[in-house]
Amino acid sequence: MGSISHVITLHGLIPSTRCSYSHSNPRLQTLKFTRVANKDGIFAQLKSQNSTQKSQDIDFSDPDWKTIYKEDFESRFRLPHVTDIFPDAAPMHSTFGLKMRTPRTRGFPGNYPSCKEWHGYINDNDRVLLKTIFYSSPTSAGAECIDPSCIWVEQWVHRAGPREKIYFKPEEVKAAIVTCGGLCPGLNDVIRQIVITLEIYGVTNIVGIPFGYRGFSDKELTEVPLSRKVVQNIHLSGGSLLGVSRGGPGVNEIVDSLEERGVNMLFVLGGNGTHAGANAIHNECCKRRLKVSVIGVPKTIDNDILLMDKTFGFDTAVEEAQRAINSAYIEAHSAYHGIGIVKLMGRSSGFIAMHAALASGQIDICLIPEIPFNLHGPNGVLSHLKYLIETTGSAVVCVAEGAGQDLLQKTNATDASGNTILGDIGVYTQQETKKYFKEIGVHADVKYIDPTYMIRACRANASDGIFCTVLGQNAVHGAFAGFSGITVGTCNTHYAYFPIPEVISHPRLVDRNSRMWHRCLTSTGQPDFI
């Protein structure tokens, strides 16, 4: 296999390996669900297709379709566990218990501290409801219905948190943490809390892998020993203590490195591509019958991971985007016929641009990847800008980086992570705006702001700080509980575990029929630009 960055872009989505687990119910074979392997092909689908179901593949004439669907859903969302490979693996009582504060640094064998009276554990049968709204009609705003009649079907995911029984002895654990992709506010917060929680369990051998997956193969890069003393104050700064990079070695080389290092817990912080790599690592460990727990923590500033309320860094990004928007607003309103253009992050999903437009209340036009638009023509963006200049004297435009790519010349080039290198829609919009107003003989003072790297490098705000803290804790709880090939996130405000393949099949998108997008349109007052 090629580099780790190719596991999703070249070979499609990694199969959902459940170690030794397989479907036992033959009825489930009649119900199939489409997976999208190629990110670039996602826009050929309906933009609102963010849910896990693909209703066109369900035989609604079968009176048992609802039961079949629910059984298939439960099967797909079953969490891979070390007992799939090692059925005789014996659980032990957890060393995590907040009623008992015995130091965890001494030897454990045969004398594990006990906290059986503590009632802070999560039962393995606890679930979180994935959908909370009963839509009475498929035409309801934001409706995501399984069948044409919009019948309610319960969908549950596994609740995150500490379990009473664990499957790893703390003194035998070597845990590794790796941060991949680009920077994102909150990386240090997650690293810090993973280390602290591991130490509370009793783990003393914790290392960081420098500069993403690259650190597994580059002989010049050495492990970074981690402890509470090392990470105590890292959350006060942005960036990543361990460094980041895109791409890296192949899956086999990474798993070879894990074996050589003696790592049996791997915590991977990254986005869709990084999680595809984590899932491939999990599958290879299953294939080699290695007792290694691979746990993901979704890190994407774009907030484009399926099924989750949000990802860490998003709140901070929206908050920091306000500074750029406010600057553009002041520039525009201080100039004669001023126009401010702000480009924000969002390769495939426009969540940052949408939420920033709503939060600021200063945006007149919000352009996102999910909603096609024309710049030119009677119904285009430039025509509306002319109207705004004539009626209000100024305007502010917010555009996501992945918006309007059909208007730009494609290069077919990719970065080290396998992502298509996008054309610069911000600069293009700026140039076309200047050109348009010059051609029609109307003065326009156009200012352009791109705060991308300033936002990525900043420290997490209070909201993201709390979020990252709980994500880091739950990642460690999941590893000690014996799960692998999973990721942690929030679902309907509750923390939950998800099988990695179920959240990386394609980016989560803004639904043009969602209430949030309608709210954004109400705030900006913009028309359709088609």
Side-chain angles (χ1 to χ4, degrees):
M1 182 179 286
S3 74
I4 196 72
S5 63
H6 297 157
V7 294
I8 191 169
T9 56
L10 295 186
H11 304 292
L13 184 64
I14 299 300
S16 175
T17 298
R18 291 286 191 270
C19 299
S20 61
Y21 178 83
S22 61
H23 294 319
S24 58
N25 190 338
R27 293 197 305 167
L28 302 184
Q29 306 306 318
T30 65
L31 192 64
K32 298 180 181 179
F33 296 83
T34 305
R35 295 287 186 271
V36 181
N38 188 340
K39 284 186 178 182
D40 297 330
I42 185 62
F43 295 106
Q45 302 186 57
L46 293 175
K47 297 298 184 181
S48 62
Q49 218 167 45
N50 285 332
S51 60
T52 57
Q53 66 268 8
K54 302 292 180 283
S55 59
Q56 67 270 22
D57 295 322
I58 303 176
D59 181 9
F60 295 112
S61 64
D62 185 342
D64 295 327
W65 75 263
K66 186 174 178 181
T67 300
I68 296 172
Y69 174 85
K70 291 175 71 174
E71 289 176 352
D72 179 83
F73 184 89
E74 291 171 4
S75 177
R76 290 190 292 115
F77 279 79
R78 176 190 179 275
L79 303 180
H81 196 270
V82 295
T83 54
D84 295 340
I85 291 294
F86 303 97
D88 297 329
M92 63 204 78
H93 197 279
S94 178
T95 55
F96 181 89
L98 299 183
K99 263 195 170 185
M100 183 271 307
R101 311 300 294 166
T102 304
R104 301 291 200 266
T105 55
R106 297 192 295 271
F108 290 113
N111 187 31
Y112 283 94
S114 177
C115 188
K116 295 182 180 179
E117 299 302 316
W118 188 56
H119 298 295
Y121 298 115
I122 300 297
N123 192 289
D124 278 338
N125 293 321
D126 284 0
R127 298 290 187 271
V128 175
L129 189 61
L130 187 62
K131 307 287 184 183
T132 58
I133 299 178
F134 174 85
Y135 294 105
S136 62
S137 166
T139 61
S140 295
E144 294 179 352
C145 302
I146 296 172
D147 72 309
S149 301
C150 234
I151 294 175
W152 172 260
V153 179
E154 293 179 347
Q155 300 170 330
W156 304 92
V157 291
H158 294 254
R159 187 183 178 197
R163 267 53 175 178
E164 189 172 3
K165 299 295 183 181
I166 59 176
Y167 287 82
F168 289 88
K169 295 181 178 181
E171 73 274 11
E172 296 177 358
V173 168
K174 180 176 181 181
I177 306 171
V178 61
T179 55
C180 307
L183 289 180
C184 176
L187 279 170
N188 281 335
D189 301 66
V190 178
I191 294 170
R192 177 179 183 271
Q193 203 57 222
I194 289 175
V195 171
I196 289 173
T197 309
L198 283 168
E199 287 196 351
I200 290 177
Y201 270 96
V203 178
T204 58
N205 195 355
I206 310 169
V207 300
I209 305 299
F211 299 105
Y213 286 131
R214 180 189 304 274
F216 284 107
S217 61
D218 193 327
K219 302 304 181 183
E220 295 182 0
L221 301 176
T222 58
E223 296 176 351
V224 180
L226 299 175
S227 66
R228 182 166 194 147
K229 184 176 181 180
V230 173
V231 303
Q232 184 62 41
N233 295 315
I234 63 172
H235 63 301
L236 303 179
S237 302
S240 170
L241 171 71
L242 305 177
V244 295
S245 71
R246 300 187 183 276
V251 173
N252 287 327
E253 191 173 352
I254 290 176
V255 178
D256 288 343
S257 179
L258 291 175
E259 282 195 88
E260 293 171 6
R261 299 167 188 260
V263 171
N264 51 8
M265 281 188 187
L266 177 63
F267 299 94
V268 180
L269 283 59
N272 276 298
T274 299
H275 270 66
N279 193 59
I281 294 169
H282 158 72
N283 291 342
E284 183 63 23
C285 288
C286 286
K287 180 180 176 182
R288 300 190 190 187
R289 297 184 59 81
L290 301 177
K291 189 180 178 183
V292 178
S293 178
V294 182
I295 309 292
V297 182
K299 178 233 67 171
T300 166
I301 207 167
D302 293 347
N303 196 36
D304 62 351
I305 301 292
L306 290 174
L307 307 178
M308 299 182 185
D309 295 346
K310 65 177 179 179
T311 51
F312 76 82
F314 176 70
D315 278 354
T316 305
V318 172
E319 182 176 311
E320 289 297 315
Q322 305 308 297
R323 302 177 188 274
I325 290 173
N326 189 54
S327 296
Y329 177 85
I330 292 173
E331 285 285 350
H333 283 256
S334 299
Y336 176 65
H337 286 182
I339 298 175
I341 301 174
V342 180
K343 185 181 80 171
L344 297 175
M345 293 78 69
R347 291 184 57 84
S348 303
S349 306
F351 288 101
I352 290 180
M354 177 176 68
H355 282 254
L358 266 171
S360 71
Q362 297 173 315
I363 296 297
D364 298 294
I365 298 174
C366 180
L367 305 174
I368 62 175
E370 294 88 342
I371 312 297
F373 62 89
N374 292 323
L375 273 181
H376 299 277
N379 298 319
V381 172
L382 297 176
S383 177
H384 187 60
L385 274 176
K386 177 176 177 289
Y387 166 78
L388 291 171
I389 290 297
E390 292 172 345
T391 56
T392 65
S394 61
V396 181
V397 180
C398 174
V399 56
E401 62 179 317
Q405 292 300 302
D406 57 313
L407 306 176
L408 307 175
Q409 183 176 358
K410 288 182 170 55
T411 64
N412 295 321
T414 58
D415 61 19
S417 294
N419 299 314
T420 300
I421 296 177
L422 302 176
D424 196 329
I425 186 63
V427 171
Y428 179 77
T429 302
Q430 175 199 28
Q431 293 172 344
E432 290 299 302
T433 301
K434 288 182 176 180
K435 180 180 176 182
Y436 170 79
F437 280 96
K438 183 177 180 180
E439 288 176 349
I440 64 174
V442 176
H443 174 80
D445 190 343
V446 183
K447 298 294 195 302
Y448 174 62
I449 299 174
D450 181 355
T452 298
Y453 293 104
M454 294 176 66
I455 292 175
R456 289 184 183 276
C458 70
R459 172 188 172 186
N461 65 10
S463 174
D464 269 324
I466 296 170
F467 189 33
C468 292
T469 293
V470 184
L471 288 175
Q473 291 177 0
N474 280 321
V476 176
H477 294 322
F480 268 100
F483 300 124
S484 182
I486 68 167
T487 190
V488 60
T490 53
C491 178
N492 286 319
T493 74
H494 294 277
Y495 290 86
Y497 295 132
F498 305 83
I500 290 177
E502 296 300 330
V503 299
I504 64 170
S505 57
H506 59 81
R508 176 178 172 233
L509 305 173
V510 172
D511 181 358
R512 68 185 305 160
N513 192 41
S514 68
R515 291 295 298 125
M516 191 60 74
W517 179 243
H518 292 173
R519 292 168 187 140
C520 183
L521 294 179
T522 301
S523 176
T524 63
Q526 69 190 64
D528 289 335
F529 297 118
I530 296 296

